[in-house]
Amino acid sequence: MRKIKKLIAVFLSLALIASAAAGCSNDSAESEDFASIVTDISEISIPAGTKIIGFGEATHGNKELQELKKDVFKSIMESYGTKTFILEGDFGGCERVNEYIHGGNGTAEAAAAEIGFAIYRTAEMADLIEWMKNYNQTVSESDMISFYGCDMQRVDNNKELLLDYLAKTSQDLYNEYSGVFSDVTDDTIYNISSSVYKDIESEMDKLTEEMEKHKEEMIDASSLSEFKKACKEINIITQMCQLQSASNLSYSKMRDKFMAENVEWILDYEDENGRDSVFLSGHNGHIEKYSANSAGYKSLGNHLKDKYGTAYFAIGTDILNSTFSCYSNFKDERIEFTVTNKNALTSKMQYLEQNTVYLDVKAAENSDLNNIITGKVKMLNVGDSFESFQQYFSMFYTISMTPNESYNGVILIKNASPSKIK
């Protein structure tokens, strides 16, 4: 009996070895096919007529994703001449960054801190900003990079920029409206009653009318470009008021709708200066062309796809092994978490030497990957809050989506490390 059990054990062991060998052989063959389809980041191809290139990040807390903002934008800029960078960050805060890269004082770290979210107070974001400033010092004014934010969840920089403009162009309007925002700051923004926001919104409507009445004098005291930005600051403050007055259910929907409107405004504003394309960076959940998140939610990218059709080009990201930084509500601090997301696409990365590759979805449709990119894939999807127990259940860090519907291209990363918040 013992001999029979021993023979069975040997047979099973040999079968497992044979199976593993066969698996390695198939994986190796599939790896070669996959390697022939993917390319380097520098080889990303954007179709003619594209107006908005969206770059999504699977988490807000990976160093490699932060670095890719610079790498992908630089590649797009060099190949297609796109000089306008838009971030999922505060409109007014990003204007402070724009001032810095156009010769302003201070440091790149201080400029990054103005963006409004802790996720951008990183060495990688400071490096991107400093690179932009150095680049701008080497080119003419018309060729300089411009930096924008499309979000409206902060108030300090927006109200300060607006009041600075009023002080420059109309002392009467400055005196009349300087006290309107006294109770609302970045620190108190979530503790203000909706009635206060309704009052501010009403005051912004009145200010818009006043500025339109005095438009010529104000432009004479500044410029048409400055006047338009000041009007946009009013709009951003109005969006903030409406957002803070919204219910929890409609908050996300409203925010993405407003961000889409702001991207559209930036595109039109830059187009008047001879620039016909912009680069947009945000979370995958905002950049995706079809909303995979929840019923009733319409992503920023979904709005842009509906508005611009094929002129919106979306690039998503996914990671096989990710250790990321994220905020824990339980611990009330940012800590590091580790997850492995082995799906039909990321699993192929383990056999490649490269840590990062680009998959053009159109090219993949004509390959053996077609059944993968046209089916459901659980892609990494982490926001800005996460808890330790969640890393053990993929439902908390992935989202099921169809790659060729959501993106025109996907950047795949084998191993990603955490970004460090300063």
Side-chain angles (χ1 to χ4, degrees), residues 88 150-153 232 235-236 238-240 242-243 246 249-265 280 285-287 291 296-308:
E88 181 199 339
C150 64
D151 212 339
M152 71 307 300
Q153 295 182 100
K232 187 57 183 173
N235 176 244
I236 293 292
T238 299
Q239 289 177 348
M240 180 274 297
Q242 293 176 354
L243 191 66
L249 290 175
S250 59
Y251 190 100
S252 295
K253 292 165 58 178
M254 187 178 290
R255 180 179 172 229
D256 276 66
K257 177 178 177 291
F258 286 157
M259 285 199 291
E261 291 173 2
N262 296 338
V263 171
E264 182 180 350
W265 182 90
L280 170 64
H286 297 302
I287 297 301
S291 308
Y297 169 76
K298 188 173 183 179
S299 67
L300 160 63
N302 204 153
H303 284 287
L304 296 177
K305 184 266 301 177
D306 288 349
K307 170 79 176 179
Y308 296 99

Side-chain angles (χ1 to χ4, degrees), residues 241-398:
C241 290
Q242 293 176 354
L243 191 66
Q244 296 305 326
S245 300
S247 66
N248 290 335
L249 290 175
S250 59
Y251 190 100
S252 295
K253 292 165 58 178
M254 187 178 290
R255 180 179 172 229
D256 276 66
K257 177 178 177 291
F258 286 157
M259 285 199 291
E261 291 173 2
N262 296 338
V263 171
E264 182 180 350
W265 182 90
I266 295 166
L267 181 61
D268 291 343
Y269 180 85
E270 287 289 298
D271 190 48
E272 291 178 1
N273 297 316
R275 300 184 175 190
D276 60 0
S277 65
V278 301
F279 179 88
L280 170 64
S281 175
H283 193 275
N284 272 351
H286 297 302
I287 297 301
E288 61 189 10
K289 294 191 293 182
Y290 286 90
S291 308
N293 199 341
S294 59
Y297 169 76
K298 188 173 183 179
S299 67
L300 160 63
N302 204 153
H303 284 287
L304 296 177
K305 184 266 301 177
D306 288 349
K307 170 79 176 179
Y308 296 99
T310 56
Y312 175 59
F313 188 93
I315 301 170
T317 54
D318 202 0
I319 306 170
L320 176 59
N321 302 304
S322 173
T323 298
F324 57 90
S325 166
C326 207
Y327 180 76
S328 165
N329 287 296
F330 289 165
K331 295 191 175 183
D332 193 25
E333 62 179 336
R334 300 190 72 86
I335 59 177
E336 294 176 4
F337 305 90
T338 298
V339 299
T340 294
N341 180 39
K342 191 173 182 181
N343 60 38
L345 286 176
T346 58
S347 62
K348 298 182 182 299
M349 291 297 297
Q350 60 192 323
Y351 303 108
L352 296 187
E353 292 184 6
Q354 306 100 303
N355 191 57
T356 306
V357 297
Y358 175 69
L359 175 67
D360 186 293
V361 168
K362 201 69 177 174
E365 287 177 352
N366 301 315
S367 72
D368 292 338
L369 294 178
N370 184 61
N371 64 321
I372 296 175
I373 62 169
T374 57
K376 291 291 184 180
V377 177
K378 288 187 176 181
M379 301 181 73
L380 187 64
N381 183 72
V382 177
D384 194 37
S385 63
F386 203 76
E387 305 302 337
S388 296
F389 75 90
Q390 292 179 307
Q391 61 193 322
Y392 302 108
F393 305 94
S394 65
M395 61 181 288
F396 290 115
Y397 58 82
T398 64

Side-chain angles (χ1 to χ4, degrees), residues 78-126:
E78 292 174 349
S79 299
Y80 301 97
T82 301
K83 298 287 181 69
T84 303
F85 184 99
I86 306 174
L87 184 69
E88 181 199 339
D90 176 55
F91 185 88
C94 288
E95 180 59 24
R96 298 302 191 193
V97 176
N98 194 52
E99 292 172 349
Y100 176 76
I101 68 172
H102 281 84
N105 297 323
T107 65
E109 289 79 9
E114 295 292 338
I115 295 173
F117 300 115
I119 57 174
Y120 298 131
R121 294 200 299 267
T122 62
E124 296 77 40
M125 179 55 69

Side-chain angles (χ1 to χ4, degrees), residues 405-416:
E405 290 182 354
S406 298
Y407 305 115
N408 297 93
V410 180
I411 295 174
L412 298 166
I413 301 172
K414 188 190 302 180
N415 301 306

Side-chain angles (χ1 to χ4, degrees), residues 28-303:
S28 177
E30 288 182 10
S31 172
E32 291 179 9
D33 292 339
F34 182 67
S36 68
I37 298 170
V38 296
T39 63
D40 186 71
I41 302 302
S42 62
E43 298 177 47
I44 293 175
S45 178
I46 307 296
T50 298
K51 291 182 176 292
I52 304 168
I53 302 99
F55 166 71
E57 50 191 17
T59 81
H60 282 312
N62 279 118
K63 178 176 182 287
E64 288 75 8
L65 293 176
Q66 295 277 328
E67 291 173 335
L68 277 170
K69 286 182 175 68
K70 175 184 172 182
D71 296 338
V72 178
F73 175 69
K74 186 177 180 181
S75 176
I76 298 299
M77 185 183 77
E78 292 174 349
S79 299
Y80 301 97
T82 301
K83 298 287 181 69
T84 303
F85 184 99
I86 306 174
L87 184 69
E88 181 199 339
D90 176 55
F91 185 88
C94 288
E95 180 59 24
R96 298 302 191 193
V97 176
N98 194 52
E99 292 172 349
Y100 176 76
I101 68 172
H102 281 84
N105 297 323
T107 65
E109 289 79 9
E114 295 292 338
I115 295 173
F117 300 115
I119 57 174
Y120 298 131
R121 294 200 299 267
T122 62
E124 296 77 40
M125 179 55 69
D127 177 66
L128 167 65
I129 292 170
E130 193 63 24
W131 170 77
M132 288 180 171
K133 181 167 188 171
N134 292 336
Y135 175 86
N136 281 350
Q137 292 174 343
T138 68
V139 298
S140 64
E141 186 174 353
S142 61
D143 285 330
M144 289 183 179
I145 296 168
S146 294
F147 194 104
Y148 290 91
C150 64
D151 212 339
M152 71 307 300
Q153 295 182 100
R154 297 291 185 272
V155 67
D156 285 352
N157 279 307
N158 293 295
K159 69 179 184 182
E160 288 168 11
L161 286 163
L162 174 59
L163 292 174
D164 286 347
Y165 180 78
L166 295 181
K168 178 179 180 178
T169 59
S170 173
Q171 192 62 44
D172 289 342
L173 289 177
Y174 173 79
N175 293 337
E176 184 177 352
Y177 288 92
S178 58
V180 168
F181 313 102
S182 56
D183 294 331
V184 186
T185 69
D186 286 351
D187 292 329
T188 65
I189 194 169
Y190 297 110
N191 301 315
I192 302 295
S193 68
S194 59
S195 63
V196 172
Y197 285 122
K198 292 293 184 183
D199 290 341
I200 295 175
E201 189 178 344
S202 178
E203 291 295 336
M204 291 301 96
D205 288 341
K206 293 176 185 177
L207 178 56
T208 299
E209 293 176 6
E210 288 296 322
M211 286 182 62
E212 195 59 37
K213 287 179 186 177
H214 302 285
K215 181 176 180 178
E216 291 185 11
E217 305 99 278
M218 298 181 84
I219 291 174
D220 287 341
S222 56
S223 67
L224 177 60
S225 175
E226 290 176 278
F227 180 84
K228 287 183 176 180
K229 275 196 175 181
C231 291
K232 187 57 183 173
E233 291 291 356
I234 294 175
N235 176 244
I236 293 292
I237 292 169
T238 299
Q239 289 177 348
M240 180 274 297
C241 290
Q242 293 176 354
L243 191 66
Q244 296 305 326
S245 300
S247 66
N248 290 335
L249 290 175
S250 59
Y251 190 100
S252 295
K253 292 165 58 178
M254 187 178 290
R255 180 179 172 229
D256 276 66
K257 177 178 177 291
F258 286 157
M259 285 199 291
E261 291 173 2
N262 296 338
V263 171
E264 182 180 350
W265 182 90
I266 295 166
L267 181 61
D268 291 343
Y269 180 85
E270 287 289 298
D271 190 48
E272 291 178 1
N273 297 316
R275 300 184 175 190
D276 60 0
S277 65
V278 301
F279 179 88
L280 170 64
S281 175
H283 193 275
N284 272 351
H286 297 302
I287 297 301
E288 61 189 10
K289 294 191 293 182
Y290 286 90
S291 308
N293 199 341
S294 59
Y297 169 76
K298 188 173 183 179
S299 67
L300 160 63
N302 204 153
H303 284 287

